Every structure is written in structure tokens, then in C-alpha cells.
């Protein structure tokens, strides 16, 4: 097995920004990195959960909705994955994500937070989510990073992982 791409990234040198995590059979996985891994506190689970509802809602209603395959949080709680079909550059996704974050900052409730529509409907925190969105938007506008630092990872037994 091969080392999966997202484990070949040097997470100690990964700044908040937007990266191409991988490209498979016409699907591009964008890494929307919101906090600096292992250097800043990761997002709180409730804030991340609210971001998932809000960001997925925005992307699935946006001008690119036909090409949105998946929007969901990273298990490490430092960012979101956005999987798209079609040809989108990091710059396209930067522009769209800034629009998305602007919209989130105007919201007064998180969509789909009832027991019928969400698997953990009490685990939400809109104020904290908006704080994270404001900081991420500032970073996308003023301190943008989009190039991964590569790390060569080889497992002792030659096996590999897979996440995104
Ligand atoms: Zn939910």
C-alpha cells in the first residue's frame, strides 16, 4: 500500500489557508485549513459542527452547487474538506469560501438543528463558529497560504493509511 497523500503533508509547517489535498478520477478534495495544526487550539466540536451545517448549506445553494460532492469536517478539527467535480482552482475556492464565510457571519441560526434533521442537534455553537469564521476570512484575505510542505512518510511495515 502507498502512504496516502494527506499523511505526506508536513503538519508542523501547515498554515491556515486552502490547499488541494488530492485529485481522484475528476474529484478534487480541497483542504480548507482553518487553524494551524498543533500550534493553535483546534476548533471546538460544537463550533465545527455548526460550521459543517452552515458551509454545506451555502455551498449546496451556491453558483457551483452542481459540482459540490461533499463538505465535511476533518477529524482533527483543524479544517474542512470540500470535494468538487469540475475544474476549480485554489483561487476559485478562495473567492467562494470568502463569500460563504461572509454569509455565515450574517446568520442568526444554524440550519437543521432538530432531532429529526441532525444526529447530535444539541452540539452546536453559532457564536464560536462565527468567531472562527471571522478569523479564517481575515486569513484568506490577508495572509493566504496554498502550498503544502511535503513530508516523506514511510511506514516500517510498508503499509499505508487512507483518510480523505
Ligand atoms: Zn448535524
Amino acid at each position: 500500500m502507498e502512504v496516502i497523500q494527506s499523511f505526506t503533508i508536513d503538519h508542523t509547517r501547515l498554515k491556515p489557508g486552502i490547499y488541494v489535498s488530492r485529485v481522484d478520477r475528476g474529484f478534487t478534495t480541497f483542504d480548507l485549513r482553518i487553524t494551524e495544526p498543533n500550534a493553535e487550539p483546534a476548533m471546538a466540536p460544537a463550533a465545527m459542527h455548526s460550521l459543517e451545517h452552515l458551509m454545506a448549506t451555502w455551498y449546496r445553494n451556491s453558483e457551483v452547487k452542481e459540482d459540490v460532492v461533499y463538505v465535511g469536517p476533518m477529524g482533527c478539527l483543524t479544517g474542512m474538506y470540500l470535494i468538487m467535480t469540475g475544474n476549480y482552482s485554489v483561487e476559485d475556492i478562495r473567492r467562494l469560501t470568502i463569500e460563504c464565510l461572509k454569509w455565515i457571519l450574517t446568520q442568526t441560526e444554524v440550519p437543521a438543528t432538530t432531532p429529526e434533521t441532525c444526529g447530535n442537534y444539541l452540539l452546536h455553537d453559532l457564536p464560536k463558529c462565527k468567531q472562527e469564521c471571522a478569523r479564517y476570512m481575515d486569513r484568506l484575505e490577508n495572509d493566504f497560504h496554498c502550498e503544502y510542505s511535503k513530508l516523506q512518510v514511510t511506514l516500517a511495515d510498508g503499509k499505508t493509511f487512507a483518510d480523505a
Side-chain angles (χ1 to χ4, degrees), residues 58-59 63-64 88 92-100:
W58 187 86
Y59 264 101
E63 66 192 79
V64 298
Y88 294 94
D92 295 330
I93 301 303
R94 178 192 192 183
R95 178 184 64 77
L96 289 161
T97 300
I98 288 170
E99 255 187 73
C100 168

Side-chain angles (χ1 to χ4, degrees), residues 49 52-53 112 117-120 124:
H49 188 195
E52 179 194 22
H53 280 225
T117 54
C118 175
N120 195 350
H124 283 282

Side-chain angles (χ1 to χ4, degrees), residues 15-35:
K15 302 290 183 195
I18 296 177
Y19 305 84
V20 173
S21 173
R22 51 186 302 140
V23 180
D24 313 89
R25 298 180 299 278
F27 298 96
T28 305
T29 302
F30 290 95
D31 167 340
L32 309 185
R33 192 65 62 156
I34 298 167
T35 68

Side-chain angles (χ1 to χ4, degrees), residues 40-68:
E40 294 176 342
M43 283 181 67
M48 181 59 101
H49 188 195
S50 296
L51 180 60
E52 179 194 22
H53 280 225
L54 288 158
M55 187 174 271
T57 298
W58 187 86
Y59 264 101
R60 291 191 181 286
N61 286 276
S62 72
E63 66 192 79
V64 298
K65 63 184 177 187
E66 303 299 332
D67 293 328
V68 175

